[in-house]
Amino acid sequence: MSSSGDGTANGPYPLHGSTSEPTTDTVGYRGPTACAAAGITYRQLDYWARTGLVEPSVRPARGSGSQRLYSLRDVVFLKIVKRFLDTGVALQNIRTAVRHLRGREARDLERMTLMSDGATVYECSSPDEVVDLLQGGQGIFGIAVGVVWRDVETALSQLHGERVDTGETLIGHNPADELARRRRDRAV
């Protein structure tokens, strides 16, 4: 949200008083912010970027001293990778899952549940698909991507973002505002 001109604001606002509202497409997050929101270490973030597991889609590193800039979507993928690793899924299977997720639209991700038996990762987009997997009789865990997305939005709303076009720092930018507006528009 933008400042009212008298130094007050109705919620999070840009540090430099920008006149246009930032959206999820115009805001990026530096490495430390992405780490904090995803619950990972900077060493993990750096390794995953260098190996191509989750690369920053807004601005990649360009030599020594350059700052990577991650999108909201990238941070969601980082958190999903972390959850898979914590449950023992092999990195090769995680790479396959992330490649698959990159090709999906945001509205598809919102409804998706990723299920794994520890060896294979499955995409479920309906309760029936989840039940079918559970009836297999072996231990399976799931990650509701929409829930992860909302968790990351909440975490990022408390942290600093950066406008992609101007480089200005945004204090407590809440990307959920834009998504909430899109959902309301679609529901009408």
Side-chain angles (χ1 to χ4, degrees):
M1 294 184 180
S2 60
S3 172
S4 63
D6 63 357
T8 63
N10 299 329
Y13 59 94
L15 182 64
H16 302 294
S18 171
T19 57
S20 64
E21 288 286 323
T23 65
T24 57
D25 298 335
T26 62
V27 176
Y29 303 93
R30 291 185 181 209
T33 301
C35 289
I40 62 173
T41 66
Y42 193 83
R43 179 174 279 207
Q44 287 173 307
L45 179 79
D46 183 56
Y47 177 73
W48 296 346
R50 285 187 292 109
T51 61
L53 179 60
V54 179
E55 297 173 290
S57 63
V58 177
R59 185 174 61 216
R62 292 191 179 103
S64 180
S66 66
Q67 292 284 326
R68 294 180 184 117
L69 210 55
Y70 292 83
S71 69
L72 167 65
R73 183 182 180 104
D74 297 335
V75 180
V76 170
F77 293 167
L78 291 169
K79 189 167 185 103
I80 289 170
V81 169
K82 167 81 165 114
R83 287 195 176 173
F84 275 138
L85 285 174
D86 287 349
T87 57
V89 175
L91 193 56
Q92 179 180 351
N93 293 334
I94 296 171
R95 284 186 188 283
T96 302
V98 170
R99 274 194 303 272
H100 176 74
L101 292 173
R102 282 186 191 131
R104 303 304 298 265
E105 296 290 327
R107 66 180 172 271
D108 295 333
L109 293 173
E110 191 175 291
R111 295 183 290 249
M112 182 185 299
T113 299
L114 297 173
M115 304 291 289
S116 180
D117 56 9
T120 306
V121 177
Y122 306 93
E123 173 192 331
C124 298
S125 54
S126 74
D128 292 337
E129 291 175 342
V130 173
V131 170
D132 287 347
L133 277 175
L134 292 174
Q135 288 178 342
Q138 63 189 90
I140 290 187
F141 69 91
I143 299 173
V145 178
V147 172
V148 173
W149 193 289
R150 287 185 291 282
D151 288 348
V152 168
E153 285 177 335
T154 300
L156 290 174
S157 74
Q158 306 300 313
L159 301 168
H160 297 330
E162 182 177 313
R163 279 189 70 112
V164 174
D165 53 354
T166 65
E168 76 180 310
T169 300
L170 303 172
I171 298 174
H173 170 68
N174 189 351
D177 293 342
E178 173 68 13
L179 290 176
R181 184 192 60 76
R182 287 183 189 177
R183 287 185 188 118
R184 279 193 311 271
D185 292 349
R186 193 171 60 226
V188 173

